[in-house]
Amino acid sequence: MICTLLSLFSLFLRKICDHEERTFLLIKPDAVQRGLVGQIIKKFEQKGFKLIGMKFMLASKELVKNHYSYLSNEPFFPGLLKYMSSGPVVPMVWEGPNVVKNARIIIGITNPEDCIPGTIRGDFSIQTGPNLIHGADGVEEANKEMYLWFTQKELISWKPAITTWVYE
Ligand code: ADP
């Protein structure tokens, strides 16, 4: 009896935790310049994910260097720094079940040439460099990245009235 109750409780906790997964997304300068911010945000809103943090800002080379530190030995790194700090960007945090994986599917893979239609990169971009949006690659990366761009206070916990119509 106790075991059943404990396993039910852990299932309940896992369900709650799943729903609270968060990801970090960054609309890049090319998307801002091309007026695609609204269309990109719409994809995640329509899917049913919840926006909990957003800014419109210029990113310093230092911040971009930190964000993309795992690519620092790549030959394209200097160009990436220049591109990412060349104009305004829109960092965002979204919440929902499996949002990290799902957001990457909505975005499409790194090279737009190989992206399927319907994905952001597949529909709106051509080359690997200016590919419109970044999405964290895992839960751990998402947590690290969101606190590079946001403080805890800038992330808003709220419950949309429609949530129970989107997922249980
Ligand atoms: P993703 O953005 O799909 O997670 P990566 O983390 O591998 O991909 O790369 C980060 C970003 O660096 C890419 O989105 C792209 O803007 C840029 N980039 C990656 N590979 C190249 C490349 N070969 N040439 C130019 N830019 C690149």
Side-chain angles (χ1 to χ4, degrees):
M1 175 70 176
I2 287 180
C3 281
T4 314
L5 281 176
L6 280 177
S7 62
L8 278 176
F9 185 59
S10 83
L11 204 75
F12 173 69
L13 275 183
R14 220 173 317 138
K15 228 172 175 322
I16 288 180
C17 291
D18 275 350
H19 288 176
E20 284 176 354
E21 187 172 290
R22 290 176 173 185
T23 197
F24 174 77
L25 305 181
L26 178 64
I27 300 181
K28 298 181 177 182
D30 49 326
V32 175
Q33 295 288 350
R34 292 175 54 194
L36 293 172
V37 173
Q39 289 195 67
I40 289 175
I41 290 175
K42 193 173 174 186
K43 291 259 185 194
F44 300 98
E45 274 189 327
Q46 280 181 329
K47 177 80 175 167
F49 292 130
K50 177 171 54 166
L51 182 63
I52 63 162
M54 180 163 72
K55 292 183 197 179
F56 184 72
M57 62 182 277
L58 285 167
S60 66
K61 282 211 167 110
E62 225 28 59
L63 178 55
V64 178
K65 224 184 243 182
N66 257 330
H67 176 84
Y68 279 129
S69 58
Y70 62 96
L71 294 173
S72 61
N73 293 325
E74 296 294 338
F76 57 83
F77 192 63
L80 180 62
L81 292 187
K82 196 170 165 209
Y83 153 56
M84 289 300 297
S85 51
S86 66
V89 291
V90 183
M92 304 178 289
V93 177
W94 288 82
E95 194 176 274
N98 296 316
V99 67
V100 172
K101 181 179 143 204
N102 271 294
R104 294 275 299 189
I105 293 170
I106 292 168
I107 290 169
I109 58 175
T110 310
N111 185 351
E113 273 183 36
D114 301 322
C115 284
I116 53 168
T119 59
I120 294 170
R121 287 172 174 170
D123 283 352
F124 302 123
S125 64
I126 293 175
Q127 284 181 335
T128 300
N131 58 8
L132 306 171
I133 178 167
H134 162 83
D137 201 13
V139 175
E140 208 176 302
E141 287 82 355
N143 276 320
K144 201 176 121 215
E145 290 169 7
M146 76 181 75
Y147 291 115
L148 201 59
W149 294 80
F150 290 90
T151 62
Q152 183 91 47
K153 270 190 172 172
E154 290 170 328
L155 303 180
I156 314 297
S157 286
W158 64 291
K159 192 167 167 51
I162 53 127
T163 297
T164 51
W165 296 97
V166 184
Y167 55 86
E168 295 180 329

